[in-house]
């Protein structure tokens, strides 16, 4: 009798349980997230009614080692088994069953199986992949499980989709893998004989002839040597005949079928009609017969008449002994050598030379290394040397290059310029590619000695310009001293045949003396850009090569090295590690080690305490307003609106790059160095107060006092020497002597040298 469904009479299934969560649809299997699917358990992870929970881990034992998933550990590892299955044949008269051989592949990475049957020609049944690669379930009632590696063994049967396969053998990898896994493999099983296959083999044997036929198979030779031809250069001496002369021939030997073809070489105006071929392609006999055979006299096979009867008919058979065969010797590749003779149907042809392919062929196949050609021609007459073209001397009209180009052809062409050098060394952005030097005139005139010149060398075309800045109360008007152009070196003849030599960039350095327009100029200083450019391209400028300078200093004798050490010790009594530039310069110039003024400057710049003098912001604004006033620049309000448009946060500040972009967009007529200096004055970090910048350059509302022409010229020529550039004041002799002479340091904490 059942208990009534009342409180206290029904059992509570939740008693003793602590987990009441809803099971999720995803789970981890061997470290790989997978969808659970129909195997999802019930509330709290308990299986549902009739549900069997599969083991979470693989059938492989979990050993010690890397915890890589199976699809990584067993990637590209496959077990291969040889198998067969028996197929019933109900609609054939000659067979009732058929044995079909196949291969079973088991992929270890995902336990998938693939069954492939090898294809046979004219089998009449579909073959190939019988079962595509996938996981195959076990036969019922265990069809909820799949085949794994432990289900495979030799000499046992497997049911794959109601078809029984018998495993007969496996490859060495499979045998080794299963043995290491602990599987005891059975002995290989034999494959039963297939009745239909035996019948087919018997039919094939019956189709073979009982008498042995002669088989001449040249297919392999054709496939290996097709399109490979040996070429020889030959000579046929036909001078004994009437109007005969030596004939040059080209012999082609075809390796595919051992045939020979000969062509004749015809030169222009030889007096002969060009024939297509000297000898058509075919096998060339070594001993040609005196009389040509008629067609049918020579055959490949000989037929013997056994007997002829009226009742039984005629019977024939092949002559296997080849009693009446005619054997002929033909030229082969080993018969053709340089210097040898070839009998071309009674004509004596001498092989004189061959091409490179033929040489490689004989070198690799026969080991021949001597390919000296046969000389049959007289050596050609030496080619007379072309007499040198005499160039008239320069006549003074135009440039020397232009006058020389008019002598090189009938069509007058302008002299070619080095366009690549122009594109590489032309001014681009902040790189001006102009070397600026300050110079003074070398003369006995007291007035000219005080004059200051700025010599600019343009690297794009090796041109030079000389500018004289105006000086107050000098009595000399400043301005352009020499128009930009190339300058010839002194001491050259004017009217000569050779081109003149011009000053190059390597000829300009501090301390050099240049003769320009009959005046001698000594270069006494250079701007910062010039020093930096020459030091950066030290391989082009020997005077700025630090390695060459240090090697000259290391060549100083040891006596003078001790004098240098005593001098720097006396000049620096407090042991600061620094010495005045002038004192150190005088010391190096007195050493007589071949250092020039420029090399001394480069050395001191390397080991120096560099200072950047400050420029008056008021002077820069006054010069900028002077430039804008002269150019009638009145677009400052438009620039203010452009700055406001770019300032999206209304902070009154913009990055330096955007500020420069707006100035370039409005074509602000200021020199590059002046614009950069103004932006640096109004910058606060990486941002600029554009309101203060515009107010400073507004020459209409906030006019500045007038400036002198010399102040304007400082920014106009874009050079900076002593006043505007970085100067060398003190030299870190401690680091210098340590690098050059390996002297130990005497002070406790010397200041390290800064970079240039």
């Amino acid at each position: 009798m059942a208990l009534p469904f009342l409180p206290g009479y029904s059992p509570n299934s939740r008693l003793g349980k602590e987990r009441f969560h809803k099971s999720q649809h995803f789970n981890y299997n061997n470290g790989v997230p997978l969808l659970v699917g129909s195997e999802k358990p019930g509330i709290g992870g308990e299986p549902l009614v009739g549900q069997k929970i599969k083991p979470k881990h693989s059938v492989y034992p979990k050993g010690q080692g890397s915890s890589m998933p199976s699809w990584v550990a067993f990637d590209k590892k496959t077990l291969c088994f040889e198998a067969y299955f028996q197929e019933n044949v109900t609609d054939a008269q000659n067979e009732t069953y058929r044995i079909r051989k196949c291969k079973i592949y088991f992929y270890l990475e995902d336990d998938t199986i693939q069954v492939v049957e090898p294809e046979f020609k004219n089998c009449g049944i579909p073959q190939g992949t019988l079962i595509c690669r996938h996981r195959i379930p076990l036969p019922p009632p265990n069809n909820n499980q799949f085949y794994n590696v432990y289900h495979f063994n030799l000499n046992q049967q497997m049911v794959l989709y109601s078809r029984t396969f018998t495993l007969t053998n496996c490859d060495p990898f499979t045998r080794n893998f299963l043995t290491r896994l602990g599987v005891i493999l059975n002995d290989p099983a034999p494959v039963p004989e297939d009745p239909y296959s035996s019948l087919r083999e018997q039919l094939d044997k019956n189709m073979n002839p009982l008498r042995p036929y002669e088989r001449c198979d040249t297919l392999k030779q054709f496939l290996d040597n097709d399109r490979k031809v040996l070429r020889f250069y030959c000579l046929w001496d036909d001078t004994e005949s009437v109007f005969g002369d030596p004939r040059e021939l080209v012999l082609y030997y075809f390796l595919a079928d051992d045939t020979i073809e000969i062509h004749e070489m015809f030169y222009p105006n030889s007096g002969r009609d060009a024939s297509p071929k000297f000898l058509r392609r075919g096998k060339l006999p070594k001993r040609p017969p005196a009389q040509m055979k008629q067609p049918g006299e020579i055959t490949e096979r000989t037929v013997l008449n056994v007997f002829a009867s009226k009742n039984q008919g005629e019977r024939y058979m092949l002559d296997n002994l080849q009693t009446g065969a005619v054997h002929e010797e033909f030229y082969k590749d080993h018969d053709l050598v340089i210097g040898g003779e070839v009998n071309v149907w009674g004509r004596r042809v001498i092989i004189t030379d061959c091409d490179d392919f033929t040489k490689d062929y004989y070198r690799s196949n026969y080991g021949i290394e001597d390919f000296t050609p046969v000389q049959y021609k007289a050596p050609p007459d030496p080619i007379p040397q072309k007499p040198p073209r005499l160039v008239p001397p320069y006549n003074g009209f135009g440039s020397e290059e232009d006058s020389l180009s008019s002598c090189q052809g009938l069509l007058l062409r302008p002299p070619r310029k080095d366009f690549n050098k122009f594109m590489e060394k032309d001014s681009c952005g902040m790189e001006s590619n102009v070397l600026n030097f300050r110079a003074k005139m070398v003369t006995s005139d007291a007035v000219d000695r005080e004059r200051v010149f700025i010599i600019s060398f343009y690297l794009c075309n090796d041109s030079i310009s000389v500018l004289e800045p105006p000086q107050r109360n000098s009595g000399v008007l400043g301005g352009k001293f020499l128009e930009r152009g190339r300058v010839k070196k002194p001491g050259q003849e004017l009217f000569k045949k050779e081109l003149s030599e011009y000053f190059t960039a390597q000829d300009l350095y501090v301390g050099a003396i240049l003769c320009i327009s009959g005046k001698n100029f000594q270069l006494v200083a250079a701007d910062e850009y010039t020093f930096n450019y020459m030091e950066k391209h030290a391989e082009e400028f020997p005077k700025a090569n630090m390695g060459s300078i240090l090697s000259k200093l290391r060549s100083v004798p040891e006596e003078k090295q001790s004098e240098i050490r005593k001098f720097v010790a006396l000049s620096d009594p407090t042991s600061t590690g620094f010495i005045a530039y002038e004192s150190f310069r005088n010391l190096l110039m007195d050493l007589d080690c071949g250092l020039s003024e420029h090399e001394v400057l480069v050395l001191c710049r390397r080991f120096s305490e560099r200072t950047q003098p400050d420029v008056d912001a008021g002077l820069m604004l006054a010069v900028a307003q002077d430039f804008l006033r002269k150019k009638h620049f009145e677009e400052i309000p438009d620039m203010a609106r452009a700055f406001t448009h770019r300032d999206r946060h209304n902070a009154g500040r913009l990055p330096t790059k955007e500020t420069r972009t707006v100035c370039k967009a409005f074509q602000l007529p200021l020199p590059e160095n002046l614009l950069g200096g103004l932006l640096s004055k109004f910058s606060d970090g990486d941002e600029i107060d554009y309101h203060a910048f515009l107010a400073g350059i507004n020459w209409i509302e906030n006019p500045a006092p007038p400036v002198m022409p010399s102040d304007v010229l400082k920014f106009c020529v874009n050079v900076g020497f002593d006043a505007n550039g970085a100067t060398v004041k003190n030299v870190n002799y401690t680091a210098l002597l340590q690098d050059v002479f390996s002297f130990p340091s005497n002070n406790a904490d010397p200041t390290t040298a800064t970079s240039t």
Side-chain angles (χ1 to χ4, degrees):
M1 180 178 177
L3 296 176
F5 192 68
L6 295 175
Y9 289 91
S10 59
N12 190 357
S13 60
R14 297 184 179 183
L15 292 177
K17 296 183 179 181
E18 297 179 356
R19 303 176 64 185
F20 303 97
H21 67 276
K22 184 178 180 181
S23 300
Q24 58 182 356
H25 290 271
F26 295 92
N27 197 1
Y28 279 88
N29 187 8
N30 293 333
V32 180
L34 298 175
L35 181 65
V36 176
S38 60
E39 299 177 1
K40 175 186 175 183
I43 299 298
E46 294 185 357
L48 300 176
V49 178
Q51 186 181 22
K52 295 181 180 180
I53 302 299
K54 295 183 179 180
K56 295 183 179 180
H57 302 286
S58 173
V59 295
Y60 305 110
K62 187 175 182 180
Q64 300 295 331
S66 61
S67 59
M68 293 188 300
S70 60
W71 51 272
V72 175
F74 300 106
D75 185 27
K76 298 182 180 179
K77 293 183 180 180
T78 308
L79 305 183
C80 178
F81 297 90
E82 297 179 4
Y84 73 90
F85 66 93
Q86 180 175 335
E87 182 182 25
N88 296 328
V89 181
T90 58
D91 54 352
Q93 182 179 2
N94 299 330
E95 55 180 345
T96 57
Y97 67 92
R98 185 176 298 156
I99 302 298
R100 298 177 64 175
K101 302 177 183 179
C102 58
K103 289 184 178 294
I104 299 178
Y105 298 98
F106 181 81
Y107 297 89
L108 296 172
E109 55 181 313
D110 52 1
D111 293 351
T112 55
I113 300 175
Q114 182 184 12
V115 181
V116 179
E117 182 181 8
E119 296 183 0
F120 293 94
K121 187 177 180 181
N122 299 327
C123 65
I125 57 177
Q127 294 179 325
T129 303
L130 300 182
I131 301 177
C132 296
R133 177 181 173 181
H134 66 287
R135 298 184 69 187
I136 300 179
L138 295 174
N142 298 322
N143 53 357
N144 59 340
Q145 301 180 14
F146 297 92
Y147 279 100
N148 55 51
V149 69
Y150 289 107
H151 292 98
F152 289 85
N153 204 334
L154 301 183
N155 199 6
Q156 74 173 14
Q157 295 182 348
M158 299 179 61
V159 179
L160 306 179
Y161 294 117
S162 302
R163 180 174 288 178
T164 304
F165 292 84
T166 303
L167 304 182
T168 60
N169 205 345
C170 63
D171 59 356
F173 172 77
T174 305
R175 183 181 300 274
N176 187 21
F177 183 84
L178 294 177
T179 303
R180 291 186 176 184
L181 201 61
V183 178
I184 301 176
L185 293 177
N186 302 328
D187 296 333
V191 181
E193 184 179 358
D194 185 16
Y196 181 73
S197 299
S198 302
L199 179 63
R200 288 288 299 269
E201 292 178 1
Q202 186 65 29
L203 292 177
D204 293 340
K205 290 181 180 179
N206 294 335
M207 294 176 62
N208 294 332
L210 300 178
R211 298 184 300 272
Y213 282 94
E214 297 180 5
R215 181 178 180 86
C216 183
D217 189 6
T218 59
L219 179 61
K220 183 179 185 305
Q221 180 183 0
F222 173 78
L223 296 177
D224 294 342
N225 301 315
D226 186 26
R227 306 177 70 87
K228 295 181 180 180
V229 183
L230 306 180
R231 181 169 61 175
F232 299 90
Y233 301 100
C234 309
L235 175 67
W236 173 38
D237 190 2
D238 193 27
T239 55
E240 296 180 358
S241 62
V242 181
F243 306 111
D245 55 356
R247 311 274 285 274
E248 297 183 12
L249 308 175
V250 180
L251 186 146
Y252 297 98
Y253 184 86
F254 296 86
L255 297 173
D257 52 359
D258 299 330
T259 55
I260 292 177
E261 182 177 280
I262 301 178
H263 292 194
E264 185 176 0
M265 299 174 61
F266 295 96
Y267 294 98
N269 301 326
S270 62
R272 297 183 179 275
D273 294 333
S275 59
K277 296 178 182 178
F278 186 82
L279 177 68
R280 67 181 179 87
R281 180 176 176 179
K283 291 189 175 183
L284 182 62
K286 293 183 178 180
R287 300 174 184 84
Q291 185 178 0
M292 297 295 296
K293 299 291 184 180
Q294 297 297 328
E297 291 188 33
I298 299 178
T299 59
E300 297 181 357
R301 297 175 181 176
T302 304
V303 181
L304 300 179
N305 186 3
V306 180
F307 61 86
S309 174
K310 295 182 179 180
N311 298 331
Q312 298 182 2
E314 299 179 353
R315 297 293 181 91
Y316 302 93
M317 66 176 296
L318 295 178
D319 184 11
N320 295 329
L321 300 179
Q322 298 181 355
T323 57
V326 178
H327 299 281
E328 286 186 308
E329 293 186 16
F330 298 96
Y331 280 102
K332 300 291 184 178
D333 54 351
H334 56 81
D335 299 322
L336 306 177
V337 293
I338 296 178
E341 296 182 2
V342 179
N343 185 5
V344 183
W345 297 102
R347 295 168 178 82
R348 179 172 172 269
V349 177
I350 302 175
I351 300 176
T352 60
D353 200 0
C354 60
D355 60 358
D356 295 336
F357 173 77
T358 306
K359 294 178 182 178
D360 295 338
Y361 175 80
Y362 280 94
R363 188 181 293 110
S364 59
N365 290 273
Y366 297 100
I368 300 176
E369 296 292 341
D370 186 12
F371 298 98
T372 305
V374 177
Q375 299 294 336
Y376 62 93
K377 290 183 180 180
D381 297 334
I383 300 176
Q385 296 183 357
K386 189 176 181 180
R389 181 179 297 178
L390 300 179
V391 180
Y394 177 57
N395 55 10
F397 293 96
S399 63
E400 296 181 3
E401 293 81 1
D402 192 16
S403 299
L404 181 61
S405 62
S406 64
C407 302
Q408 294 176 349
L410 296 177
L411 298 178
L412 300 181
R413 293 184 177 90
R416 297 185 62 180
K417 298 181 180 180
D418 193 350
F419 185 73
N420 294 333
K421 180 179 180 180
F422 176 80
M423 295 299 296
E424 182 181 357
K425 299 295 185 180
D426 192 22
S427 60
C428 179
M430 300 296 293
E431 291 291 333
S432 62
N433 288 320
V434 179
L435 306 182
N436 297 298
F437 297 88
R438 189 177 67 181
K440 287 192 175 183
M441 192 176 295
V442 180
T443 179
S444 59
D445 191 353
V447 177
D448 291 340
R449 282 202 305 266
E450 299 299 329
R451 298 170 65 181
V452 178
F453 299 88
I454 297 176
I455 299 179
S456 301
F457 186 89
Y458 299 86
L459 296 172
C460 60
N461 56 359
D462 296 343
S463 58
I464 297 176
S465 65
V466 182
L467 179 68
E468 183 179 6
Q471 299 184 21
R472 299 182 61 183
N473 302 326
S474 63
V476 180
L477 294 178
K480 190 178 296 184
F481 182 84
L482 177 66
E483 189 72 26
R484 176 180 174 181
R486 294 200 299 169
V487 179
K488 296 181 182 180
K489 292 184 178 180
Q492 302 185 69
E493 187 181 352
L494 179 59
F495 303 104
K496 60 183 182 301
K497 298 180 181 180
E498 298 80 10
L499 294 177
S500 300
E501 295 183 6
Y502 295 87
F503 282 110
T504 60
Q506 289 73 21
D507 299 326
L508 278 72
Y509 54 89
V510 177
I513 297 178
L514 307 179
C515 182
I516 302 176
S517 299
K519 303 292 185 180
N520 292 331
F521 295 89
Q522 184 178 11
L523 307 183
V524 296
D527 62 351
E528 185 70 16
Y529 176 81
T530 303
F531 279 115
N532 291 336
Y533 185 88
M534 297 177 71
E535 293 168 4
K536 183 179 180 181
H537 302 81
E539 67 279 357
E540 301 179 12
F541 299 93
K543 298 295 182 181
N545 194 335
M546 184 56 62
S548 176
I549 298 173
L550 294 179
S551 63
K552 291 181 181 180
L553 282 178
R554 292 190 181 101
S555 63
V556 175
E558 295 183 359
E559 308 84 54
K560 293 190 177 182
Q561 293 182 15
S562 60
E563 294 179 6
I564 294 174
R565 193 171 185 180
K566 293 179 182 179
F567 179 81
V568 297
L570 294 175
S571 301
D572 186 20
T574 58
S575 299
T576 60
F578 289 91
I579 188 175
Y581 165 72
E582 290 297 333
S583 301
F584 193 75
R585 172 191 171 279
N586 296 333
L587 173 64
L588 294 180
M589 297 303 290
D590 294 340
L591 289 177
D592 296 335
C593 56
L595 291 178
S596 62
E597 187 73 25
H598 192 97
E599 292 175 331
V600 172
L601 274 171
V602 172
L603 180 64
C604 294
R605 282 167 54 86
R606 175 72 176 274
F607 304 93
S608 64
E609 181 183 17
R610 309 293 299 280
T611 58
Q612 186 74 24
D614 194 10
V615 182
D616 186 11
L619 178 60
M620 296 176 66
L621 290 175
V623 174
Q625 289 189 10
D626 186 69
F627 275 105
L628 299 180
R629 186 184 302 106
K630 291 179 180 179
K631 297 294 183 179
H632 298 283
F633 186 79
E634 299 179 354
E635 299 181 6
I636 295 180
D638 298 335
M639 291 181 63
R641 286 191 290 270
F643 282 127
T644 305
H645 176 71
R646 288 177 175 264
D647 187 10
R648 302 184 181 223
H649 302 286
N650 295 327
R653 295 178 177 275
L654 282 178
T656 306
K657 185 177 180 180
E658 293 190 15
T659 306
R660 183 184 292 272
T661 302
V662 174
C663 295
K664 292 295 183 181
F666 282 90
Q667 298 180 0
L668 192 65
L670 294 179
E672 186 64 30
N673 61 333
L674 180 58
L675 179 59
L678 288 175
L679 294 179
S680 63
K681 291 295 182 182
F682 288 95
S683 63
D684 184 8
D686 192 27
E687 294 183 345
I688 293 178
D689 186 0
Y690 59 86
H691 292 296
F693 172 72
L694 293 178
I697 65 174
N698 194 341
W699 59 276
I700 300 176
E701 298 180 0
N702 305 316
V707 295
M708 300 301 296
S710 58
D711 297 332
V712 178
L713 191 60
K714 293 178 182 178
F715 301 95
C716 182
V717 297
N718 192 19
V719 295
F721 296 101
D722 292 342
N724 298 333
T727 59
V728 179
K729 291 185 177 181
N730 298 323
V731 179
N732 187 353
Y733 69 87
T734 305
L736 189 148
L737 297 180
Q738 181 68 25
D739 283 357
V740 178
F741 305 119
S742 299
F743 285 170
S745 178
N746 295 330
N747 44 23
D749 187 16
T751 307
T752 58
T754 59
S755 61
T756 57

